[in-house]
Every structure is written in C-alpha cells, then in structure tokens.
Amino acid sequence: MRVDHDQLVRALHLARHGLGRTHPNPMVGAVVVDTAGQVVGEGWHDHYGADHAETVALAQASQRAQGGTLYVTLEPCNHAGQTPPCTAGILAAGIKRVVYGMADPNPKVAGGGAKALAEAGLEVVSWPDDELKRSIQALNEAFVHACTSQTPFVLLKLAATIDGKTATRSGHSQWITSPKSRAMVHQWRAESDGILSTATTVLADNAALTVRDAELPPALVMAMAPDRVILDRRGRLLDQLSLKLFEPDERGGPITLVVGTRFASQRYEAMCNAHGYGLIVLPDDGRHLDLKQLMQVLGSGEDRLTQLMVEAGPTLAGQLLDQGLVQRLVVMTGPLLLGDAQAAPMVVTQPVSRIDEAVPLTLMNVWAGDDSNIIADYRLVSGCCSDGLHHKAH
C-alpha cells in the first residue's frame, strides 16, 4: 500500500502540469512501474486534444510495461473521443494491474473503464476514500461539478478594501489590489474556459477580459484563451464597437452576448452574426436575466464550459450567490480603508435579519503575498441558496 500511495502521489503531481490547458477535459497523471518495481514511464494530459496521460506513460515504458502496474489519477476511459479509449492501450501494453485515484464522474461512463479492465483479467484497484483521494478529486473539482450538474463550475472573484468596498462613491477603483495580485487574476482566467461579466462592467472599465499576465507560455495563452460571455440585457454593447472588448486580440477568446427577450431584435442578431459573436437570448423579468437557464446553456453542447470565472459588480455577484450558482469564491483584500458608507460594496445579496441566515462559506485557504494583499479562497457550503434564499449555516 505504501508503494501504491507514493506512486499515486507522483501521478497527482504530474497531473498538475496540465493546469489551465486541458479543459473541458480533466487533468490526469499516470505512472508505469515494471515487474521489478522500477518506474519506467510517466505522463500527463498536456492539453485538450493531446494524448491522454496513460498513453504517454505507456509509450515511454514501451516493452517494459509488460506485466507491470499502471497508476493513474482518473479511471481510464473506455470510450473514443478526441483520442482512442485508454483501456485498449492498457490491454495492448500487457499491463496486469491498474490503480486509479478516482472514478470517472461522468454518469454516462462512470465505472466503464474499470469494469472493462477487470473483465479482461486485470487486477483493478480503486483508491479508498482518504486524504489522497480527496486531493485528487479537488484537482478536478470543476470537471467533477460540470459532469455531474451539466453546468459550469463558477469561480467568483471579488476584490475589496478591508471594509468590503470595491470602489469609491464616484466609481474610482484603480487600484485596490497590487500588480502581483492582478497577475494572479490573469492566471485564474487562463485556468478557466469562460469569463462572465456584464455590459455595465465592460462599459465602466472598458474591459478587454483577455489573458495578459498569466505565468503561461504566450502560445498556450492564445490557444486556450477563455470564452467571454457578457450579459447585455438591454442590448447596449453593439452600439459601442470601439470598446477594447471588441478589438481583435489573440489573448481573448470568442465573444458571446447574452440579451433579454425584451431587448432582443433582428438588428441585434444580425450584428452578432456579422461580427461573429455568439448570441444567447434569455427570459427577462424586466430587471434580471434567468441566470439558472444561462448556466444550463453554457454547460451543455460540444462547446460546453467547465469552469466559468465571474468578473463583475456587486449586483451580479449577489444574484449568483443568492441563487446558489457559485461554487468557489476568492476574495482579494487590499490594504486600504475607505470608511465611506456610500462607497460601492463588494456584493449585494438578499437582506437577512439574522447572522445564521447569511450565505455559509467554507474557508479552504488564505495567504498573504509580499505585497500585503490577503487572498481568501472559499467554497460555498453544499446545498446553500439552491432555492434562491439563504439557508442557515450549520
């Protein structure tokens, strides 16, 4: 068991090399050990469309894989997609034992790979529920959520002063956080396959929503540039085509505009088609778009989004939290104090009268950079706010 544990830890380390590159696929690492107990092959899924981790590791092991053990973070696939099924390659390589960290979360294929290998006479070991398994699951939390809910994993990023303000009462906000912290935002953008914002934010900040300062090779940033999904409920943006958002830039992905039924028009649709922008028309109650339906649309089809990063103002942030549509919340706090009750708040949710009715969060991590910014990483408590109302925290 100790050898199995250590090799699976190594596979997890290898899987992390695919961070920000593999969506909508998961990050996966693999290690091949021969009959003498020597590591003879290693691999990871490098980017979407590339060979799977098992294929890379088995190719490196070559004939030494015969009779050996394969350690892989995710149950090997048994279906053809961008690449052939990994189970076929495992059988062809002569592997006799497979240890995998977590089952495939896709309900359509879960267990299929392990079953196929076991039926072929291999010893197949599913790792028990312990800290290592939870670490493997956490690495692909967005992929797991997207598979099981058919909606994207939503990362809401907020930046505020220590008294929870995002801008002065006049709207001035540059800069609350430091250059180093803002570079982290670009890294999160690169790790997501979609960015959600609003026309109000785009117009106020002339935001391009591109990946610029991420610690990734420029070619990879251009190849994996996230989709930009903009809520334009009232159909205002297409009269502002000089905005940075609409400038050609390889660091920015495709643009999809989301308009309400009250403001959708043949002219708007024709302009989207003419410029190559995607268009989603959603029910509109006169104030808000149907965000739950938006998540269902974005999480379905061949171009489905796995992780959606939200960069917007307090209103949209509050709506997403109230409706239980946020899975991860990152709050970046700058070393500033505004002390103004009229300054812009970090988020506006439904009012509550008791503390135990507030949105419950689980703190996962907190760290301070050498620039004095504090970053707190939270997860929303499972099941909270699913009916549009805050639940009592437990």
Short mmCIF file of all heavy atoms in Angstrom, two decimals, residues 138-200:
data_model
loop_
_atom_site.label_atom_id
_atom_site.label_comp_id
_atom_site.label_asym_id
_atom_site.label_seq_id
_atom_site.Cartn_x
_atom_site.Cartn_y
_atom_site.Cartn_z
N ALA A 138 -10.08 17.14 -5.63
CA ALA A 138 -10.02 18.60 -5.58
C ALA A 138 -9.33 19.18 -6.81
O ALA A 138 -9.68 20.26 -7.27
CB ALA A 138 -9.29 19.05 -4.31
N LEU A 139 -8.34 18.46 -7.35
CA LEU A 139 -7.64 18.95 -8.53
C LEU A 139 -8.60 19.16 -9.69
O LEU A 139 -8.46 20.11 -10.46
CB LEU A 139 -6.55 17.95 -8.93
CG LEU A 139 -5.74 18.32 -10.19
CD1 LEU A 139 -4.88 19.55 -9.93
CD2 LEU A 139 -4.89 17.14 -10.63
N ASN A 140 -9.59 18.29 -9.79
CA ASN A 140 -10.55 18.37 -10.90
C ASN A 140 -11.96 18.71 -10.41
O ASN A 140 -12.95 18.21 -10.95
CB ASN A 140 -10.56 17.05 -11.67
CG ASN A 140 -9.35 16.90 -12.58
OD1 ASN A 140 -9.10 17.77 -13.42
ND2 ASN A 140 -8.61 15.81 -12.41
N GLU A 141 -12.04 19.56 -9.39
CA GLU A 141 -13.35 19.87 -8.84
C GLU A 141 -14.27 20.51 -9.88
O GLU A 141 -15.48 20.27 -9.89
CB GLU A 141 -13.23 20.79 -7.61
CG GLU A 141 -12.58 22.13 -7.87
CD GLU A 141 -12.50 23.00 -6.63
OE1 GLU A 141 -13.25 22.76 -5.68
OE2 GLU A 141 -11.67 23.94 -6.61
N ALA A 142 -13.71 21.31 -10.78
CA ALA A 142 -14.54 21.94 -11.81
C ALA A 142 -15.07 20.89 -12.78
O ALA A 142 -16.25 20.91 -13.16
CB ALA A 142 -13.74 23.00 -12.56
N PHE A 143 -14.21 19.96 -13.17
CA PHE A 143 -14.61 18.90 -14.10
C PHE A 143 -15.68 18.02 -13.46
O PHE A 143 -16.68 17.66 -14.12
CB PHE A 143 -13.38 18.07 -14.47
CG PHE A 143 -13.68 16.87 -15.33
CD1 PHE A 143 -13.99 17.02 -16.66
CD2 PHE A 143 -13.63 15.60 -14.79
CE1 PHE A 143 -14.27 15.91 -17.46
CE2 PHE A 143 -13.89 14.49 -15.57
CZ PHE A 143 -14.22 14.65 -16.91
N VAL A 144 -15.50 17.67 -12.19
CA VAL A 144 -16.48 16.83 -11.50
C VAL A 144 -17.83 17.54 -11.44
O VAL A 144 -18.88 16.94 -11.74
CB VAL A 144 -15.99 16.47 -10.08
CG1 VAL A 144 -17.09 15.78 -9.28
CG2 VAL A 144 -14.74 15.60 -10.15
N HIS A 145 -17.81 18.81 -11.06
CA HIS A 145 -19.07 19.56 -10.98
C HIS A 145 -19.75 19.64 -12.34
O HIS A 145 -20.97 19.43 -12.44
CB HIS A 145 -18.80 20.98 -10.45
CG HIS A 145 -20.01 21.86 -10.48
ND1 HIS A 145 -20.93 21.89 -9.46
CD2 HIS A 145 -20.47 22.73 -11.42
CE1 HIS A 145 -21.90 22.74 -9.76
NE2 HIS A 145 -21.65 23.25 -10.95
N ALA A 146 -18.99 19.96 -13.38
CA ALA A 146 -19.57 20.09 -14.71
C ALA A 146 -20.18 18.78 -15.19
O ALA A 146 -21.25 18.77 -15.82
CB ALA A 146 -18.51 20.58 -15.70
N CYS A 147 -19.52 17.67 -14.90
CA CYS A 147 -20.03 16.36 -15.32
C CYS A 147 -21.31 15.99 -14.60
O CYS A 147 -22.24 15.43 -15.19
CB CYS A 147 -18.98 15.28 -15.09
SG CYS A 147 -17.65 15.23 -16.31
N THR A 148 -21.37 16.26 -13.32
CA THR A 148 -22.49 15.79 -12.51
C THR A 148 -23.69 16.75 -12.54
O THR A 148 -24.82 16.33 -12.31
CB THR A 148 -22.05 15.59 -11.06
OG1 THR A 148 -21.45 16.79 -10.55
CG2 THR A 148 -21.03 14.47 -10.97
N SER A 149 -23.45 18.03 -12.83
CA SER A 149 -24.54 19.00 -12.81
C SER A 149 -24.92 19.51 -14.19
O SER A 149 -25.97 20.14 -14.36
CB SER A 149 -24.15 20.20 -11.94
OG SER A 149 -23.14 20.97 -12.59
N GLN A 150 -24.06 19.26 -15.18
CA GLN A 150 -24.26 19.77 -16.53
C GLN A 150 -24.32 21.30 -16.54
O GLN A 150 -24.97 21.92 -17.39
CB GLN A 150 -25.54 19.20 -17.16
CG GLN A 150 -25.54 17.68 -17.22
CD GLN A 150 -24.37 17.12 -18.03
OE1 GLN A 150 -24.18 17.48 -19.18
NE2 GLN A 150 -23.58 16.25 -17.41
N THR A 151 -23.64 21.92 -15.60
CA THR A 151 -23.47 23.38 -15.56
C THR A 151 -22.01 23.67 -15.23
O THR A 151 -21.33 22.84 -14.62
CB THR A 151 -24.37 24.04 -14.49
OG1 THR A 151 -24.02 23.53 -13.20
CG2 THR A 151 -25.85 23.78 -14.76
N PRO A 152 -21.50 24.84 -15.61
CA PRO A 152 -20.10 25.13 -15.30
C PRO A 152 -19.87 25.35 -13.82
O PRO A 152 -20.76 25.78 -13.08
CB PRO A 152 -19.81 26.40 -16.12
CG PRO A 152 -21.12 26.96 -16.52
CD PRO A 152 -22.13 25.87 -16.43
N PHE A 153 -18.65 25.03 -13.38
CA PHE A 153 -18.18 25.35 -12.04
C PHE A 153 -17.89 26.84 -12.02
O PHE A 153 -17.08 27.34 -12.81
CB PHE A 153 -16.92 24.55 -11.76
CG PHE A 153 -16.29 24.78 -10.42
CD1 PHE A 153 -16.62 23.98 -9.34
CD2 PHE A 153 -15.32 25.75 -10.24
CE1 PHE A 153 -16.02 24.16 -8.10
CE2 PHE A 153 -14.71 25.95 -9.01
CZ PHE A 153 -15.07 25.15 -7.94
N VAL A 154 -18.55 27.58 -11.14
CA VAL A 154 -18.45 29.04 -11.15
C VAL A 154 -17.47 29.52 -10.09
O VAL A 154 -17.64 29.24 -8.90
CB VAL A 154 -19.83 29.69 -10.94
CG1 VAL A 154 -19.71 31.20 -10.82
CG2 VAL A 154 -20.76 29.33 -12.09
N LEU A 155 -16.45 30.22 -10.54
CA LEU A 155 -15.46 30.87 -9.67
C LEU A 155 -15.77 32.36 -9.67
O LEU A 155 -15.66 33.03 -10.69
CB LEU A 155 -14.05 30.63 -10.20
CG LEU A 155 -12.93 31.55 -9.70
CD1 LEU A 155 -12.78 31.47 -8.19
CD2 LEU A 155 -11.61 31.22 -10.38
N LEU A 156 -16.18 32.87 -8.53
CA LEU A 156 -16.48 34.29 -8.37
C LEU A 156 -15.29 34.96 -7.71
O LEU A 156 -14.91 34.62 -6.59
CB LEU A 156 -17.74 34.48 -7.53
CG LEU A 156 -18.11 35.91 -7.14
CD1 LEU A 156 -18.33 36.79 -8.37
CD2 LEU A 156 -19.34 35.92 -6.24
N LYS A 157 -14.69 35.92 -8.42
CA LYS A 157 -13.54 36.67 -7.89
C LYS A 157 -14.00 38.06 -7.48
O LYS A 157 -14.63 38.76 -8.24
CB LYS A 157 -12.44 36.75 -8.96
CG LYS A 157 -11.15 37.40 -8.48
CD LYS A 157 -11.17 38.94 -8.63
CE LYS A 157 -11.32 39.38 -10.05
NZ LYS A 157 -11.34 40.89 -10.15
N LEU A 158 -13.68 38.43 -6.23
CA LEU A 158 -14.01 39.75 -5.72
C LEU A 158 -12.75 40.41 -5.18
O LEU A 158 -11.90 39.74 -4.59
CB LEU A 158 -15.07 39.66 -4.62
CG LEU A 158 -16.41 39.03 -5.00
CD1 LEU A 158 -17.28 38.86 -3.76
CD2 LEU A 158 -17.13 39.88 -6.04
N ALA A 159 -12.64 41.70 -5.37
CA ALA A 159 -11.52 42.47 -4.82
C ALA A 159 -12.08 43.65 -4.04
O ALA A 159 -12.96 44.36 -4.54
CB ALA A 159 -10.59 42.95 -5.93
N ALA A 160 -11.59 43.86 -2.83
CA ALA A 160 -12.18 44.90 -1.99
C ALA A 160 -11.16 45.43 -0.98
O ALA A 160 -10.11 44.82 -0.74
CB ALA A 160 -13.39 44.35 -1.24
N THR A 161 -11.49 46.57 -0.41
CA THR A 161 -10.71 47.12 0.70
C THR A 161 -11.03 46.31 1.95
O THR A 161 -11.93 45.46 1.94
CB THR A 161 -11.09 48.59 0.93
OG1 THR A 161 -12.49 48.66 1.27
CG2 THR A 161 -10.85 49.42 -0.32
N ILE A 162 -10.35 46.59 3.04
CA ILE A 162 -10.59 45.79 4.24
C ILE A 162 -11.97 46.04 4.85
O ILE A 162 -12.45 45.24 5.65
CB ILE A 162 -9.50 46.02 5.31
CG1 ILE A 162 -9.48 47.47 5.78
CG2 ILE A 162 -8.15 45.59 4.80
CD1 ILE A 162 -8.57 47.68 6.96
N ASP A 163 -12.64 47.13 4.44
CA ASP A 163 -14.00 47.35 4.90
C ASP A 163 -15.02 46.94 3.82
O ASP A 163 -16.17 47.36 3.85
CB ASP A 163 -14.23 48.79 5.36
CG ASP A 163 -13.81 49.83 4.34
OD1 ASP A 163 -12.99 49.50 3.47
OD2 ASP A 163 -14.30 50.97 4.40
N GLY A 164 -14.59 46.11 2.88
CA GLY A 164 -15.51 45.49 1.94
C GLY A 164 -16.01 46.38 0.83
O GLY A 164 -17.11 46.16 0.30
N LYS A 165 -15.23 47.38 0.42
CA LYS A 165 -15.65 48.29 -0.64
C LYS A 165 -14.83 48.03 -1.91
O LYS A 165 -13.63 47.76 -1.85
CB LYS A 165 -15.46 49.74 -0.20
CG LYS A 165 -16.17 50.11 1.10
CD LYS A 165 -17.68 49.96 0.97
CE LYS A 165 -18.39 50.39 2.25
NZ LYS A 165 -19.87 50.27 2.13
N THR A 166 -15.51 48.11 -3.05
CA THR A 166 -14.85 47.83 -4.33
C THR A 166 -14.53 49.09 -5.12
O THR A 166 -13.80 49.02 -6.11
CB THR A 166 -15.72 46.91 -5.19
OG1 THR A 166 -16.99 47.56 -5.44
CG2 THR A 166 -15.97 45.59 -4.50
N ALA A 167 -15.07 50.22 -4.70
CA ALA A 167 -14.80 51.48 -5.39
C ALA A 167 -15.29 52.62 -4.51
O ALA A 167 -16.11 52.42 -3.60
CB ALA A 167 -15.50 51.53 -6.74
N THR A 168 -14.81 53.81 -4.76
CA THR A 168 -15.31 54.99 -4.06
C THR A 168 -16.72 55.30 -4.53
O THR A 168 -17.22 54.71 -5.50
CB THR A 168 -14.42 56.21 -4.33
OG1 THR A 168 -14.51 56.55 -5.73
CG2 THR A 168 -12.96 55.90 -3.98
N ARG A 169 -17.38 56.23 -3.89
CA ARG A 169 -18.74 56.58 -4.29
C ARG A 169 -18.80 57.16 -5.70
O ARG A 169 -19.83 57.12 -6.38
CB ARG A 169 -19.38 57.56 -3.30
CG ARG A 169 -18.71 58.91 -3.23
CD ARG A 169 -19.53 59.87 -2.36
NE ARG A 169 -19.56 59.46 -0.96
CZ ARG A 169 -20.39 60.00 -0.06
NH1 ARG A 169 -21.26 60.93 -0.44
NH2 ARG A 169 -20.34 59.61 1.20
N SER A 170 -17.66 57.68 -6.20
CA SER A 170 -17.61 58.20 -7.58
C SER A 170 -17.31 57.10 -8.59
O SER A 170 -17.32 57.35 -9.80
CB SER A 170 -16.54 59.29 -7.68
OG SER A 170 -15.25 58.74 -7.49
N GLY A 171 -17.00 55.88 -8.10
CA GLY A 171 -16.73 54.77 -9.00
C GLY A 171 -15.26 54.50 -9.24
O GLY A 171 -14.91 53.60 -10.01
N HIS A 172 -14.36 55.24 -8.60
CA HIS A 172 -12.92 55.04 -8.82
C HIS A 172 -12.45 53.81 -8.05
O HIS A 172 -12.70 53.66 -6.86
CB HIS A 172 -12.14 56.27 -8.34
CG HIS A 172 -10.69 56.22 -8.71
ND1 HIS A 172 -9.71 55.90 -7.83
CD2 HIS A 172 -10.08 56.44 -9.90
CE1 HIS A 172 -8.53 55.93 -8.43
NE2 HIS A 172 -8.73 56.26 -9.69
N SER A 173 -11.74 52.90 -8.77
CA SER A 173 -11.34 51.64 -8.13
C SER A 173 -9.92 51.21 -8.45
O SER A 173 -9.48 50.14 -7.99
CB SER A 173 -12.29 50.52 -8.57
OG SER A 173 -12.21 50.33 -9.98
N GLN A 174 -9.17 51.95 -9.21
CA GLN A 174 -7.84 51.51 -9.64
C GLN A 174 -6.74 52.21 -8.87
O GLN A 174 -6.58 53.42 -9.00
CB GLN A 174 -7.68 51.76 -11.14
CG GLN A 174 -8.67 50.96 -11.97
CD GLN A 174 -8.50 51.17 -13.45
OE1 GLN A 174 -7.83 52.11 -13.89
NE2 GLN A 174 -9.13 50.34 -14.24
N TRP A 175 -5.95 51.47 -8.06
CA TRP A 175 -6.12 50.03 -7.91
C TRP A 175 -6.24 49.69 -6.44
O TRP A 175 -5.51 50.23 -5.60
CB TRP A 175 -4.93 49.28 -8.50
CG TRP A 175 -4.84 49.39 -9.98
CD1 TRP A 175 -3.99 50.17 -10.69
CD2 TRP A 175 -5.61 48.66 -10.95
NE1 TRP A 175 -4.17 49.98 -12.03
CE2 TRP A 175 -5.15 49.06 -12.22
CE3 TRP A 175 -6.63 47.71 -10.86
CZ2 TRP A 175 -5.70 48.55 -13.39
CZ3 TRP A 175 -7.16 47.21 -12.02
CH2 TRP A 175 -6.70 47.62 -13.27
N ILE A 176 -7.16 48.79 -6.11
CA ILE A 176 -7.29 48.28 -4.75
C ILE A 176 -6.25 47.21 -4.49
O ILE A 176 -5.68 47.12 -3.39
CB ILE A 176 -8.72 47.76 -4.50
CG1 ILE A 176 -9.70 48.93 -4.46
CG2 ILE A 176 -8.79 46.96 -3.21
CD1 ILE A 176 -11.15 48.51 -4.36
N THR A 177 -6.01 46.37 -5.49
CA THR A 177 -5.04 45.30 -5.34
C THR A 177 -3.74 45.65 -6.08
O THR A 177 -3.69 46.61 -6.85
CB THR A 177 -5.61 43.97 -5.89
OG1 THR A 177 -6.02 44.18 -7.25
CG2 THR A 177 -6.78 43.52 -5.05
N SER A 178 -2.72 44.85 -5.85
CA SER A 178 -1.38 45.13 -6.37
C SER A 178 -1.17 44.47 -7.74
O SER A 178 -1.94 43.60 -8.15
CB SER A 178 -0.34 44.59 -5.40
OG SER A 178 -0.41 43.17 -5.40
N PRO A 179 -0.12 44.86 -8.45
CA PRO A 179 0.19 44.19 -9.73
C PRO A 179 0.36 42.69 -9.59
O PRO A 179 -0.08 41.93 -10.44
CB PRO A 179 1.49 44.88 -10.16
CG PRO A 179 1.44 46.23 -9.53
CD PRO A 179 0.77 46.02 -8.20
N LYS A 180 1.00 42.25 -8.50
CA LYS A 180 1.18 40.81 -8.31
C LYS A 180 -0.15 40.11 -8.15
O LYS A 180 -0.37 39.02 -8.72
CB LYS A 180 2.05 40.58 -7.07
CG LYS A 180 2.31 39.10 -6.78
CD LYS A 180 3.19 38.94 -5.56
CE LYS A 180 3.42 37.47 -5.22
NZ LYS A 180 4.26 37.29 -4.02
N SER A 181 -1.05 40.70 -7.39
CA SER A 181 -2.36 40.08 -7.20
C SER A 181 -3.16 40.09 -8.50
O SER A 181 -3.86 39.12 -8.81
CB SER A 181 -3.14 40.83 -6.11
OG SER A 181 -2.53 40.67 -4.86
N ARG A 182 -3.05 41.16 -9.26
CA ARG A 182 -3.77 41.22 -10.53
C ARG A 182 -3.22 40.20 -11.53
O ARG A 182 -3.97 39.69 -12.37
CB ARG A 182 -3.72 42.64 -11.11
CG ARG A 182 -4.47 43.65 -10.26
CD ARG A 182 -4.71 44.94 -10.99
NE ARG A 182 -3.50 45.67 -11.30
CZ ARG A 182 -2.86 46.47 -10.46
NH1 ARG A 182 -3.33 46.65 -9.23
NH2 ARG A 182 -1.77 47.13 -10.81
N ALA A 183 -1.94 39.89 -11.44
CA ALA A 183 -1.38 38.84 -12.29
C ALA A 183 -2.00 37.48 -11.96
O ALA A 183 -2.20 36.65 -12.84
CB ALA A 183 0.13 38.78 -12.13
N MET A 184 -2.34 37.28 -10.68
CA MET A 184 -2.99 36.04 -10.29
C MET A 184 -4.37 35.93 -10.93
O MET A 184 -4.82 34.84 -11.30
CB MET A 184 -3.12 35.96 -8.77
CG MET A 184 -1.80 35.82 -8.04
SD MET A 184 -2.04 35.61 -6.26
CE MET A 184 -2.87 34.03 -6.22
N VAL A 185 -5.04 37.07 -11.08
CA VAL A 185 -6.35 37.07 -11.73
C VAL A 185 -6.23 36.56 -13.16
O VAL A 185 -7.05 35.77 -13.64
CB VAL A 185 -6.97 38.48 -11.70
CG1 VAL A 185 -8.25 38.52 -12.54
CG2 VAL A 185 -7.26 38.91 -10.27
N HIS A 186 -5.16 36.98 -13.84
CA HIS A 186 -4.96 36.52 -15.21
C HIS A 186 -4.64 35.04 -15.25
O HIS A 186 -4.99 34.33 -16.20
CB HIS A 186 -3.87 37.35 -15.88
CG HIS A 186 -4.31 38.73 -16.24
ND1 HIS A 186 -4.93 39.03 -17.43
CD2 HIS A 186 -4.28 39.89 -15.53
CE1 HIS A 186 -5.23 40.32 -17.47
NE2 HIS A 186 -4.84 40.86 -16.32
N GLN A 187 -3.97 34.54 -14.22
CA GLN A 187 -3.72 33.11 -14.14
C GLN A 187 -5.03 32.35 -14.00
O GLN A 187 -5.25 31.32 -14.64
CB GLN A 187 -2.79 32.81 -12.96
CG GLN A 187 -2.38 31.35 -12.84
CD GLN A 187 -1.40 30.90 -13.90
OE1 GLN A 187 -0.66 31.72 -14.44
NE2 GLN A 187 -1.41 29.62 -14.22
N TRP A 188 -5.93 32.86 -13.15
CA TRP A 188 -7.24 32.21 -12.99
C TRP A 188 -8.04 32.28 -14.28
O TRP A 188 -8.78 31.36 -14.62
CB TRP A 188 -8.00 32.86 -11.84
CG TRP A 188 -7.44 32.54 -10.49
CD1 TRP A 188 -6.86 31.36 -10.11
CD2 TRP A 188 -7.39 33.40 -9.36
NE1 TRP A 188 -6.45 31.45 -8.79
CE2 TRP A 188 -6.76 32.68 -8.31
CE3 TRP A 188 -7.81 34.70 -9.10
CZ2 TRP A 188 -6.55 33.22 -7.04
CZ3 TRP A 188 -7.61 35.25 -7.85
CH2 TRP A 188 -6.98 34.51 -6.84
N ARG A 189 -7.92 33.41 -15.00
CA ARG A 189 -8.59 33.49 -16.29
C ARG A 189 -8.09 32.39 -17.22
O ARG A 189 -8.87 31.73 -17.90
CB ARG A 189 -8.34 34.85 -16.95
CG ARG A 189 -9.09 36.02 -16.34
CD ARG A 189 -8.78 37.31 -17.11
NE ARG A 189 -9.46 38.47 -16.54
CZ ARG A 189 -9.34 39.71 -17.01
NH1 ARG A 189 -8.53 39.93 -18.05
NH2 ARG A 189 -10.00 40.70 -16.46
N ALA A 190 -6.77 32.22 -17.25
CA ALA A 190 -6.18 31.22 -18.13
C ALA A 190 -6.60 29.81 -17.74
O ALA A 190 -6.67 28.92 -18.59
CB ALA A 190 -4.66 31.34 -18.12
N GLU A 191 -6.85 29.58 -16.45
CA GLU A 191 -7.25 28.27 -15.98
C GLU A 191 -8.74 28.00 -16.18
O GLU A 191 -9.21 26.88 -15.97
CB GLU A 191 -6.90 28.12 -14.50
CG GLU A 191 -5.40 28.11 -14.23
CD GLU A 191 -5.06 28.20 -12.75
OE1 GLU A 191 -6.00 28.10 -11.93
OE2 GLU A 191 -3.88 28.37 -12.42
N SER A 192 -9.49 29.02 -16.60
CA SER A 192 -10.92 28.88 -16.86
C SER A 192 -11.15 28.80 -18.36
O SER A 192 -10.33 29.26 -19.15
CB SER A 192 -11.69 30.07 -16.27
OG SER A 192 -11.46 30.21 -14.88
N ASP A 193 -12.27 28.23 -18.75
CA ASP A 193 -12.58 28.23 -20.18
C ASP A 193 -13.66 29.24 -20.52
O ASP A 193 -14.08 29.32 -21.68
CB ASP A 193 -12.93 26.84 -20.69
CG ASP A 193 -13.89 26.08 -19.81
OD1 ASP A 193 -14.29 26.61 -18.77
OD2 ASP A 193 -14.24 24.95 -20.17
N GLY A 194 -14.06 30.03 -19.54
CA GLY A 194 -15.00 31.11 -19.81
C GLY A 194 -14.91 32.19 -18.75
O GLY A 194 -14.57 31.92 -17.60
N ILE A 195 -15.18 33.43 -19.16
CA ILE A 195 -15.24 34.57 -18.25
C ILE A 195 -16.62 35.19 -18.41
O ILE A 195 -17.07 35.45 -19.53
CB ILE A 195 -14.16 35.62 -18.56
CG1 ILE A 195 -12.77 35.01 -18.44
CG2 ILE A 195 -14.30 36.83 -17.63
CD1 ILE A 195 -11.67 35.93 -18.94
N LEU A 196 -17.30 35.42 -17.29
CA LEU A 196 -18.62 36.04 -17.31
C LEU A 196 -18.53 37.44 -16.73
O LEU A 196 -17.99 37.65 -15.64
CB LEU A 196 -19.61 35.20 -16.49
CG LEU A 196 -21.03 35.76 -16.35
CD1 LEU A 196 -21.73 35.79 -17.71
CD2 LEU A 196 -21.85 34.93 -15.36
N SER A 197 -19.07 38.41 -17.47
CA SER A 197 -19.12 39.78 -16.99
C SER A 197 -20.41 40.42 -17.49
O SER A 197 -21.27 39.74 -18.07
CB SER A 197 -17.88 40.56 -17.45
OG SER A 197 -17.80 41.81 -16.76
N THR A 198 -20.54 41.71 -17.27
CA THR A 198 -21.75 42.43 -17.66
C THR A 198 -21.42 43.62 -18.53
O THR A 198 -20.30 44.14 -18.52
CB THR A 198 -22.51 42.93 -16.42
OG1 THR A 198 -21.70 43.93 -15.76
CG2 THR A 198 -22.81 41.80 -15.45
N ALA A 199 -22.42 44.09 -19.26
CA ALA A 199 -22.24 45.29 -20.08
C ALA A 199 -21.87 46.47 -19.20
O ALA A 199 -21.05 47.31 -19.59
CB ALA A 199 -23.52 45.58 -20.86
N THR A 200 -22.43 46.54 -18.01
CA THR A 200 -22.13 47.65 -17.10
C THR A 200 -20.65 47.68 -16.76
O THR A 200 -20.00 48.73 -16.78
CB THR A 200 -22.97 47.53 -15.82
OG1 THR A 200 -24.36 47.60 -16.16
CG2 THR A 200 -22.63 48.65 -14.85
#
